[in-house]
Amino acid sequence: MAGYYYSDRQIQTYSEHAQAAVLWERAAHWEQNANYWKHRAESAERRMLEHHCEGDH
């Protein structure tokens, strides 16, 4: 599924097993994306706090 999004309408035409597989992949992708952005935000927060602390000296 990488790089391609299956519409809900298209998925409804698939067998139950195929629907489950596509939805499982979609959920895994969303989880991976959420983790990526969480780590980016945490990294930016650390850099911001480090920069703020350096300015106090």
Side-chain angles (χ1 to χ4, degrees), residues 25-45:
E25 288 180 10
R26 185 186 289 179
H29 172 75
W30 286 344
E31 181 179 15
Q32 185 179 30
N33 197 32
N35 286 332
Y36 170 80
W37 287 107
K38 177 185 175 189
H39 292 298
R40 290 279 310 257
E42 289 170 345
S43 176
E45 182 181 30

Side-chain angles (χ1 to χ4, degrees), residues 10-55:
Q10 184 178 10
I11 292 170
Q12 290 174 356
T13 65
Y14 297 170
S15 70
E16 187 175 325
H17 179 73
Q19 286 181 25
V22 170
L23 294 174
W24 183 269
E25 288 180 10
R26 185 186 289 179
H29 172 75
W30 286 344
E31 181 179 15
Q32 185 179 30
N33 197 32
N35 286 332
Y36 170 80
W37 287 107
K38 177 185 175 189
H39 292 298
R40 290 279 310 257
E42 289 170 345
S43 176
E45 182 181 30
R46 275 193 307 274
R47 289 191 310 272
M48 185 178 67
L49 291 173
E50 289 170 1
H51 178 72
H52 179 71
C53 291
E54 290 173 6

